[in-house]
Amino acid sequence: MSNDHPIETAEYEGPVGGWGSMRGMAAIARIAKARPSAMETLKNQNKPAGYMCSSCAWAKPPNPHPAEFCENGAKATLWDLTTARCTPEVFAKHSVAELATWSDHDLEMLGRLTEPMRYDAATDRYVAVSWAEAFADIGARLKASTPKKTCFYVSGKAALEPSFLFGLYARAYGHHNLPDSSNMCHETTSVGLKQKVGSPVGTCTFDDFEHVDAIFYAGQNPGTNSPRILHPLQKAVERGCRIIAFNPLREKGLLEFASPQNPWQMTLGAPTEIADCYYQVKPGGDIAALTGVAKHVLALEEAEGGILDRAFLAEHTHGMEEWMDWVRATSWDDLERVSGITRRQMEAAGEVYARAGAVMGIYGMGLTQHVHGSDAIGALVNLLLLRGNIGRKGAGCTPIRGHSNVQGQRTVGITEKPELVPVDKLRELFGVETPEDEGWTTVTFLEALLKGEVEAYIGFGGNLVRAVPDQDRVTEVWGKMPLTVHVATKLNRTHLLPGKVSYILPCLVRAEEDIQDSGPQQVSIEDSFSHIYGSIGKRSPASEDLLSETAIVVGLAKATLAPDPRLPWDAWLADYSRIRADIEKTWPDMFADYEARMNQPGGFYRGNPANQRIWKTESGKAEFTVPECLDATGLEDAPGLYRLVTLRSNDQFNTTVYGMSDRLRGIEGERTIVMMSPEDIAAEGLQAGQRIALKTDADDGIDRQVGGLKIVAYDLPRGCVVGYFPELNPLSPLSRYDLASHTPAAKGIPVRLVP
Ligand SMILES: Nc1nc2c(c(=O)[nH]1)N[C@H]1C(S)=C(S)[C@@H](COP(=O)(O)OP(=O)(O)OC[C@H]3O[C@@H](n4cnc5c(=O)[nH]c(N)nc54)[C@H](O)[C@@H]3O)O[C@H]1N2
Ligand SMILES: Nc1nc2c(c(=O)[nH]1)N[C@H]1C(S)=C(S)[C@@H](COP(=O)(O)OP(=O)(O)OC[C@H]3O[C@@H](n4cnc5c(=O)[nH]c(N)nc54)[C@H](O)[C@@H]3O)O[C@H]1N2
Ligand SMILES: [Mo]
């Protein structure tokens, strides 16, 4: 394993998985106040006839392990199944102003919301309201609002059935303002990967892991954010697959793994080493690094011949000549300077690439959340194309998606882009006229909000005020909206910024039983590999007054829209299989025989043209791309300028903070920290443990600063600092986003240190 600079920094001794993850789970069960029976429920997680994990979007294999869940999936479920309750009595005791002073973690610890609540400005309290009153009032207010000035947000948790109905509801009401969490996440994939290979989602299937010979793994932290990927990675490595990691941080999950499913490895055996070569690129260095790898592959072709897949390149790609000219003209000096790694390292990775049979590219937020994130995806695609590594066994692009159904929501019509919606079908089947102009993304919604132009916000999940860029500016204006409605499971900070009229509508979680007129209901979700699975909850709900997300969409839609027999809301609600039948009618190719196939082991695959080498791009072929900028951050290095990376700790799900332990990075007890390389700490005349502030380097006249950050020495490239989302979100300017897709640039934020 190449390890260029071994230095004394915060570090976790054990492997990922192993006993540490078992202890992590036990602690969470205790802290989450879950009953012992919740641990039993976990046995059904991610299995046929069970419910699908509400954490990440990793595959649910057809032959599940006895325990097909990871530490963090278990945390998410136990957190949902807490016995703590945030009842109307809690709100009677504490005003909104008072609750707003609590920490995010303490708000979470109040537990599950139990009844619909309406904000009462006179007492500054949320008070209980009946569902009927809530729906009627919200519906009346929406009728009086301008549809194109309302925002319908979805975080990627809601299943396919409520998501499909939510999209129909928005369009029937008259807008496409349907941003979802994907807009802050893998929208770079939806737009960038689509431009390059015609597919807005990953091109691989789960069994490709059994055939892959080398993996180029960039900008994703598997140990924390998708731990179940470590099982197929471990198996692949044990078969001889080589893993080349690109990441400014040496993430534990990419270094070694002890399978909790393997009693021998848990007791006596050595953990499996995962990455073969680990390259600590600078934030934004991937375009240069991957181009350097490709440059070496081209050199090998010139020297030896037979390296490139000429037949594939001729038949299936476009733009190669122009791209090769650009690669030749790009100097090694520039590639080294921008990537932060050496020519020798890029050449070594090029050797691995050139000699490997099937190669896969895996990536996450380290590529997507940059100003030139789409170009970073393009650089990975360029490399893969050289040897025909898309559309064959073991090869392709695997973006690791975030929320459990974020990919699926896009599939069933949650999008602001009219061209992605089957307009004719919606008209023919449901009498819905799709608005012609594009709706809001998360960024354009926030721009409208800052201008005071938004009349209403209806959100299914999410804690937007905490999750978005320019947190302080957004916090100031959020409460000026005339109407805000939050469909949620737990109280969060966004709820504590009530609009003029504000509701919190509590819903069931996925592990809970959902009973409607025709009996217990199933829902379905789509994973990162375009497989769709049925999911059924069996726990009794946290409160009698909860509704399913589907029931809430139906309640709102009926209160807002004039009755129309072509939109049979009641029949849909009575039996969700009727919703699925209509999804199937809307997308007959992808969803053929939906009802039967979603319950087979491994679900069903909705297909992917790029996987079949059918390229739905402008040229009809896979595209080589010359990036607009070699540095994905778009920044020029300057004295005193640092590139800030914001990321997740091991003890959070996005804005839900479970606790203060970032176990795999050896950072405990605190989240207001900033990681820095020991060399930079020394060069700045600072000391580990000292507190500093960070200030955004921007010339828009807005002062963005976060103070009280404790310096943690960490093995990082120089000129880069790292800290946690959402605490550092006030530093992230709304104006910095991926130029192709509007995904906020949460990585590579330009900052200066303020001692
Ligand atoms: N337990 C848990 N699981 C989760 C989540 C959670 O919060 N908790 N969130 C879910 C969601 S919504 C999402 S989107 C995913 C996110 O999963 P990830 O994509 O892993 O997201 P981050 O935590 O932001 O980590 C980004 C990684 O990219 C690296 N990185 C940063 N900048 C660069 C760069 O310029 N180049 C390269 N090569 N690497 C870089 C960071 O060091 C880090 O390892 O996880 C999902 N799963
Ligand atoms: N600086 C920085 N900012 C980032 C990121 C980053 O890496 N750095 N990552 C971005 C990414 S990738 C994402 S996806 C966003 C996500 O950011 P968030 O919007 O914060 O994430 P969620 O997990 O969707 O939202 C959490 C809330 O959803 C509610 N909830 C939980 N379960 C359910 C449910 O089953 N149904 C409903 N209706 N509600 C539920 C709870 O009330 C909870 O408070 O943050 C983005 N922001
Ligand atoms: Mo995400």
Side-chain angles (χ1 to χ4, degrees):
M1 152 125 30
S2 70
N3 182 355
D4 290 347
H5 31 166
I7 38 183
E8 277 292 305
T9 56
E11 195 158 347
Y12 172 67
E13 297 291 336
V16 171
W19 292 110
S21 80
M22 289 301 189
R23 280 193 294 270
M25 255 182 258
I28 283 291
R30 205 173 52 245
I31 299 163
K33 302 189 188 136
R35 287 200 181 86
S37 65
M39 291 297 257
E40 284 295 301
T41 300
L42 285 173
K43 287 186 188 158
N44 297 321
Q45 186 152 312
N46 299 330
K47 291 187 181 162
Y51 67 95
M52 299 302 139
C53 180
S54 61
S55 185
C56 82
W58 184 250
K60 316 340 173 194
N63 312 305
H65 293 107
E68 189 57 52
F69 56 85
C70 67
E71 172 188 354
N72 286 330
K75 279 185 195 171
T77 299
L78 295 173
W79 212 250
D80 279 351
L81 300 181
T82 175
T83 52
R85 296 288 179 267
C86 185
T87 58
E89 290 71 45
V90 172
F91 290 103
K93 225 160 110 189
H94 308 286
S95 70
V96 167
E98 187 194 338
L99 289 168
T101 64
W102 293 24
S103 72
D104 289 4
H105 180 73
D106 289 344
L107 295 176
E108 282 288 330
M109 295 311 291
L110 287 171
R112 291 282 301 279
L113 294 156
T114 59
E115 280 174 54
M117 308 294 295
R118 183 191 154 118
Y119 180 64
D120 174 38
T123 57
D124 187 34
R125 276 169 171 77
Y126 275 102
V127 290
V129 58
S130 74
W131 281 104
E133 271 177 87
F135 288 144
D137 186 42
I138 297 165
R141 287 172 193 279
L142 285 175
K143 276 187 201 161
S145 307
T146 321
K148 288 192 175 129
K149 294 187 173 179
T150 63
C151 176
F152 283 22
Y153 177 84
V154 208
S155 104
K157 288 195 179 190
L160 294 168
E161 292 80 355
S163 303
F164 172 69
L165 295 189
F166 197 51
L168 272 184
Y169 167 36
R171 295 187 175 96
Y173 174 52
H175 68 75
H176 277 297
N177 296 333
L178 285 162
D180 77 352
S181 58
S182 185
N183 281 114
M184 294 181 272
C185 182
H186 267 293
E187 193 59 14
T188 322
T189 299
S190 311
V191 175
L193 195 60
K194 174 93 174 47
Q195 283 167 353
K196 275 85 189 170
V197 301
S199 170
V201 300
T203 70
C204 292
T205 59
F206 189 58
D207 55 71
D208 284 325
F209 280 86
E210 287 174 27
H211 305 279
V212 61
D213 300 306
I215 297 178
F216 279 64
Y217 204 114
Q220 203 264 341
N221 176 17
T224 287
N225 295 330
S226 53
R228 285 183 308 116
I229 195 181
L230 295 170
H231 296 285
L233 285 186
Q234 182 184 34
K235 276 200 205 148
V237 167
E238 284 167 0
R239 273 195 301 102
C241 172
R242 303 189 60 183
I243 297 185
I244 316 297
F246 297 86
N247 198 311
L249 277 77
R250 291 173 58 78
E251 299 284 27
K252 230 8 197 213
L254 286 165
L255 295 170
E256 48 183 35
F257 175 59
S259 171
Q261 312 284 352
N262 178 341
W264 179 81
Q265 195 165 42
M266 287 288 279
T267 47
L268 302 169
T272 308
E273 290 208 357
I274 301 288
D276 204 89
C277 304
Y278 206 112
Y279 300 125
Q280 286 180 272
V281 288
K282 281 175 25 181
D286 303 86
I287 300 177
L290 294 165
T291 301
V293 177
K295 191 174 170 86
H296 186 63
V297 175
L298 295 180
L300 287 175
E301 171 71 13
E302 261 174 49
E304 302 173 16
I307 303 284
L308 302 187
D309 184 340
R310 295 270 175 198
F312 172 84
L313 291 167
E315 185 184 345
H316 290 288
T317 69
H318 171 254
M320 180 168 177
E321 286 306 320
E322 190 194 340
W323 172 76
M324 285 203 338
D325 290 344
W326 170 76
V327 175
R328 284 192 203 102
T330 307
S331 70
W332 281 109
D333 280 354
D334 282 345
L335 294 173
E336 287 191 323
R337 179 179 51 81
V338 177
S339 68
I341 63 173
T342 63
R343 173 174 179 174
R344 259 199 36 234
Q345 292 175 316
M346 291 181 255
E347 288 176 344
E351 289 292 331
V352 174
Y353 179 82
R355 313 295 169 203
V359 179
M360 194 189 283
I362 297 185
Y363 66 89
M365 299 300 100
L367 290 203
T368 65
Q369 293 177 333
H370 276 298
V371 172
H372 298 279
S374 291
D375 281 340
I377 294 174
L380 185 59
V381 169
N382 293 338
L383 180 65
L384 292 174
L385 292 179
L386 290 179
R387 283 173 51 80
N389 276 312
I390 296 188
R392 68 185 166 90
K393 245 194 178 66
C397 245
T398 297
I400 306 288
R401 304 293 301 224
H403 281 88
S404 56
N405 192 40
V406 65
Q407 181 168 317
Q409 294 184 338
R410 286 278 190 250
T411 304
V412 295
I414 298 296
T415 170
E416 70 285 354
K417 298 187 182 70
E419 68 274 17
L420 299 183
V421 188
V423 173
D424 296 343
K425 288 275 186 194
L426 298 192
R427 185 181 304 120
E428 171 199 322
L429 294 168
F430 313 109
V432 170
E433 284 302 333
T434 307
E436 278 172 18
D437 41 346
E438 193 157 302
W440 284 328
T441 62
T442 301
V443 166
T444 52
F445 157 62
L446 294 171
E447 287 169 351
L449 178 69
L450 288 166
K451 282 191 246 161
E453 289 171 358
V454 181
E455 295 180 11
Y457 168 88
I458 315 284
F460 273 69
N463 182 6
L464 269 197
V465 165
R466 293 294 278 163
V468 298
D470 264 331
Q471 196 180 83
D472 292 347
R473 293 172 66 208
V474 172
T475 301
E476 248 170 63
V477 298
W478 187 270
K480 296 193 176 142
M481 281 188 276
L483 175 67
T484 60
V485 178
H486 300 281
V487 179
T489 52
K490 301 237 181 116
L491 187 66
N492 69 43
R493 191 159 301 282
T494 305
H495 309 154
L496 300 175
L497 294 166
K500 294 200 182 95
V501 175
S502 210
Y503 287 90
I504 305 175
L505 306 179
C507 66
L508 297 173
V509 297
R510 208 176 281 153
E512 286 171 339
E513 189 173 55
D514 178 0
I515 303 203
Q516 304 296 345
D517 287 354
S518 68
Q521 302 298 313
Q522 264 194 305
V523 292
S524 49
I525 58 126
E526 176 180 334
D527 70 13
S528 277
F529 296 96
S530 308
H531 275 246
I532 291 165
Y533 312 83
S535 171
I536 186 156
K538 297 192 177 142
R539 302 277 308 183
S540 27
S543 146
E544 283 177 358
D545 291 316
L546 301 183
L547 291 185
S548 70
E549 291 180 308
T550 307
I552 298 173
V553 179
V554 167
L556 292 171
K558 281 175 62 184
T560 315
L561 307 173
D564 183 336
R566 293 170 300 181
L567 291 169
W569 300 106
D570 289 324
W572 277 329
L573 178 58
D575 181 355
Y576 297 180
S577 68
R578 288 209 45 182
I579 311 175
R580 288 188 285 275
D582 281 323
I583 294 176
E584 183 173 339
K585 280 188 204 146
T586 310
W587 294 275
D589 295 343
M590 289 193 284
F591 286 94
D593 211 7
Y594 188 177
E595 192 68 24
R597 292 197 303 155
M598 71 177 190
N599 285 320
Q600 62 198 19
F604 71 91
Y605 179 48
R606 72 170 168 85
N608 180 310
N611 183 278
Q612 305 300 309
R613 296 193 165 173
I614 297 164
W615 317 100
K616 304 225 161 177
T617 58
E618 247 177 59
S619 63
K621 298 196 171 188
E623 297 281 349
F624 276 91
T625 25
V626 175
E628 268 178 50
C629 180
L630 194 54
D631 190 323
T633 64
L635 299 173
E636 288 288 343
D637 285 333
L641 187 73
Y642 285 82
R643 294 153 182 247
L644 167 67
V645 167
T646 58
L647 40 62
R648 295 152 174 80
S649 85
N650 192 55
D651 226 2
Q652 73 184 89
F653 191 89
N654 296 334
T655 54
T656 301
V657 175
Y658 302 128
M660 299 295 148
S661 164
D662 197 1
R663 186 168 59 80
L664 302 178
R665 298 196 183 106
I667 298 173
E668 300 287 341
E670 200 177 345
R671 291 177 53 88
T672 42
I673 56 121
V674 56
M675 300 174 225
M676 269 182 92
S677 81
E679 294 91 337
D680 280 335
I681 297 176
E684 296 279 356
L686 298 166
Q687 257 163 16
Q690 185 180 340
R691 290 192 189 261
I692 57 166
L694 295 179
K695 184 177 166 49
T696 305
D697 187 76
D699 52 12
D700 55 6
I702 299 167
D703 183 35
R704 300 178 180 86
Q705 195 159 322
V706 173
L709 300 169
K710 187 165 101 189
I711 299 177
V712 174
Y714 207 83
D715 182 355
L716 286 175
R718 297 207 51 187
C720 144
V721 288
V722 177
Y724 298 124
F725 137 65
E727 286 80 353
L728 297 183
N729 282 41
L731 295 171
S732 166
L734 181 60
S735 56
R736 282 181 64 81
Y737 47 74
D738 172 49
L739 297 177
S741 67
H742 276 184
T743 306
K747 318 292 189 248
I749 302 168
V751 294
R752 292 183 180 274
L753 313 182
V754 186

